[in-house]
Amino acid sequence: MSRFLKKQYQNLEPYTPGEQPKNQKLIKLNTNENPFGPSPRAAAVISSGEVSKLMLYPDPEASELTTAIAQYYNLEKEQVAVGNGSDEILAFSFMAYASEGSNIWFPDPSYGFYKVYADIYRSKAGPIPLTEDLRIDPKKYKNLNGTILIANPNAPTGIALNLNDIEDIIASNSSNLVIIDEAYIDFGAKSCVPFLQKYDNLLVIQTFSKSRSLAGARVGFAMGSKELISDLNRIKFSFNPYNLNRLSISAAAAAIRDEAYFQQTRQTIIKTRETFTKQLKELGFTVLPSSANFVFAKSSRLSGEEYFHGLRERNILVRYFGKEPISDYVRITIGREEDMEQLIFATKELLGKGN
Amino acid sequence: MSRFLKKQYQNLEPYTPGEQPKNQKLIKLNTNENPFGPSPRAAAVISSGEVSKLMLYPDPEASELTTAIAQYYNLEKEQVAVGNGSDEILAFSFMAYASEGSNIWFPDPSYGFYKVYADIYRSKAGPIPLTEDLRIDPKKYKNLNGTILIANPNAPTGIALNLNDIEDIIASNSSNLVIIDEAYIDFGAKSCVPFLQKYDNLLVIQTFSKSRSLAGARVGFAMGSKELISDLNRIKFSFNPYNLNRLSISAAAAAIRDEAYFQQTRQTIIKTRETFTKQLKELGFTVLPSSANFVFAKSSRLSGEEYFHGLRERNILVRYFGKEPISDYVRITIGREEDMEQLIFATKELLGKGN
């Protein structure tokens, strides 16, 4: 820390991303990446000519991409804002809406970054504990005072809220902005995008990092009323107008237009998740009902830490959070079928069942 | 604007980027892009395999790139932070160092974004007017109170400060952070990076958008003491840890390692600038002595606005700012030799000399 850093940031606790190991031999199931590559059309559009145009600035409006997203969701282009990953969209949202000292309500546990953003923008974080079975209790989100931010499905549990509950939350908070973070929506839950026709206090955030296999390209987006989207663009144009690079704009636009590849890969992941969940349960695990591309699971015989380290020794990386009330759990990304088979094999070994 | 936007941003005046025209026939000399494509090695590294890894998150430390930059400048890796364009580095610097209500001093005119950042972070902007001949007067930057931010060479003038003057500014402000924005440094001015060995109150910002031909990839970086760099990374990890995408990390690392291509293209631009400057002067223009990949020029016979519109009608796009004290000037990017020849031809036409 230098002698020049603002006082308010000196005790800031930054977000800790999941490990990005250099060891390529590891089966990497710790950061909810998609095991399948991006749409071949995304790859093609990058190679064909876009690279040779890299000396030119990108379109700061990223019109090609906002248009493609708007078409996909039957929205107007002015209802879509894009960001350098959905993290940047979240950061811009906190900048725009979470006033210093005002309340921001979100589930706990949830995506760890929400607390970091609340800290950096000095809004009063109101983490709302999950129920004992690690669910979001929608009743606790009604008639609040302040901004509301809910991941649906929630992370790291994978459990989704149903649309009725979400609508009740939006409707009962008409003076508050409700942000629904749908990073994992495409793996089984229902998007609340259709509510945008009815409510002006809803902002929906999605990403190309999961179901579209573009985590390495950094593309996220927000959908909302034209007024909300113009707020986010006002922040963007005051912070980093060229926030999306040329290649990512083209790749993401090509990816969202490739519906067949999207359906095929996400269905494969859902199917693998269901098989894997069944196998884990047969080995005595508690597995939360997941609508995401990961499962949150605990063993009846191994502690979360033991299981995490045991897998790591067997070259399988999962995410362990090591804090209450989830210290018995690990979060396991759904990879290829063969990755999950190896994980089941390693688990049997650890339980003394495999040898 | 929505009813939820924070009061403090409701009157924010965002930065206006130079026009990115859809009309491909235009000769585009308005945003200081490099006419030459990126290093062929940068293009190669993107195509070969990196695209197929896009489903994986990038390395949040971007180690490949920070290592390559550190090697190039004989620094330690911990003295380099990378951003999604140097705009993001500037934004993080304002976040980290420009406290609400504190002073931030910069030349006026200079890069228009400095004022926007001062506004968004509510620091007290202290624009210091240029001299009558549009130079930075180093005396005005000594013993100030607050953060100092100087573009060297300055934009849109292209005029560079010499290193002695910069050192005097750094030395006389030992309680203040001095940020030198070297976006255009490679076209003729001298970098103050060597001063990092001597002063802990210096932060140097550079970009891959100009001399490395990667404006479309969005890569900027800061160099400073390990403490300053750790501040910027603390902000980054609290805002957007994966701020650089995989392709841009690889492309930029390959570009900075390709010294031969870099030297060849920047020398060509410098040579073209000198020829072009001479030609403009012969047509009665005042041309400021530029150390950048653009020139700032005014005609003795056409107003800035007339010249801008006249060129535009002839399919040549330059940048016109239209405000005092630079309303007579236009900023012209140095493109390929043939682009500049066409511009000279069009200028002669406009002056009634060509037909």
Side-chain angles (χ1 to χ4, degrees), chain B residues 102-116:
Chain B
S102 74
N103 294 319
I104 169 103
W105 302 99
F106 49 81
D108 180 36
S110 189
Y111 182 31
F113 224 131
Y114 300 158
K115 177 73 168 59
V116 179

Side-chain angles (χ1 to χ4, degrees), chain A residues 36-37 114 118 120 124 169 179 214 218 250 263 268 272 280 292 304 323 325:
Chain A
F36 304 108
Y114 300 159
I120 201 165
K124 228 167 91 188
I169 292 170
I179 304 174
L214 284 171
R218 317 305 308 124
S250 299
Q263 289 298 347
T268 305
T272 306
L280 269 189
K323 59 173 191 187

Side-chain angles (χ1 to χ4, degrees), chain A residues 2-3 6 9-10 20 33 54 57 84 95 117 174 200 210 216 218 231 239 242 245-246, chain B residues 2-3 9-10 20 33 54 57 84 95 117 174 200 210 216 218 231 234 239 242-243 245-246:
Chain A
S2 81
R3 60 196 168 103
K6 275 187 205 171
Y9 295 142
Q10 293 180 0
Q20 303 296 345
E33 288 151 326
L54 274 180
Y57 280 91
N84 182 31
M95 270 178 97
Y117 288 130
S174 57
D200 79 338
K210 312 297 179 186
R218 317 305 308 124
D231 295 344
F239 188 88
Y242 297 106
N245 70 87
R246 294 185 77 92
Chain B
S2 82
R3 61 194 168 104
Y9 295 141
Q10 292 179 1
Q20 303 297 343
E33 288 151 326
L54 275 179
Y57 278 92
N84 182 32
M95 271 179 95
Y117 287 130
S174 58
D200 78 337
K210 312 296 178 185
R218 315 306 307 123
D231 295 344
R234 180 186 289 247
F239 188 89
Y242 297 106
N243 60 339
N245 69 87
R246 294 185 77 92

Side-chain angles (χ1 to χ4, degrees), chain A residues 191-227:
Chain A
S191 171
C192 62
V193 166
F195 293 147
L196 290 177
Q197 299 195 339
K198 216 166 144 186
Y199 301 100
D200 79 338
N201 62 325
L202 169 64
L203 188 74
V204 184
I205 296 179
Q206 291 194 8
T207 177
F208 280 78
S209 295
K210 312 297 179 186
S211 56
R212 310 280 174 180
S213 298
L214 284 171
R218 317 305 308 124
V219 186
F221 56 103
M223 297 171 284
S225 70
K226 290 182 187 180
E227 291 74 20

Side-chain angles (χ1 to χ4, degrees), chain B residues 28-171:
Chain B
K28 191 170 174 302
L29 303 173
N30 68 327
T31 53
N32 299 338
E33 288 151 326
N34 196 313
F36 305 108
S39 155
R41 294 192 200 171
V45 82
I46 288 177
S47 307
S48 70
E50 269 309 310
V51 171
S52 65
K53 289 188 210 138
L54 275 179
M55 70 284 204
L56 301 176
Y57 278 92
D59 169 14
E61 318 265 357
S63 294
E64 184 194 357
L65 180 54
T66 52
T67 303
I69 295 168
Q71 279 173 351
Y72 189 84
Y73 279 108
N74 270 319
L75 299 170
E76 293 184 61
K77 184 169 162 283
E78 295 74 24
Q79 292 186 270
V80 180
V82 292
N84 182 32
S86 61
D87 285 343
E88 191 186 61
I89 291 281
L90 283 165
F92 287 170
S93 302
F94 271 80
M95 271 179 95
Y97 305 118
S99 300
E100 198 173 320
S102 74
N103 294 319
I104 169 103
W105 302 99
F106 49 81
D108 180 36
S110 189
Y111 182 31
F113 224 131
Y114 300 158
K115 177 73 168 59
V116 179
Y117 287 130
D119 284 353
I120 200 166
Y121 293 113
R122 304 166 97 172
S123 43
K124 228 166 92 191
I128 300 180
L130 299 182
T131 61
E132 242 176 68
D133 56 349
L134 299 178
R135 288 174 180 276
I136 289 173
D137 180 356
K139 288 194 300 294
K140 292 189 181 162
Y141 293 81
K142 287 192 194 159
N143 303 306
L144 294 175
N145 57 334
T147 305
I148 295 161
L149 172 53
I150 299 176
N152 187 47
N154 193 25
T157 63
I159 300 176
L161 279 175
N162 67 52
L163 283 186
N164 286 340
D165 286 332
I166 293 184
E167 182 164 11
D168 283 353
I169 292 170
I170 300 167

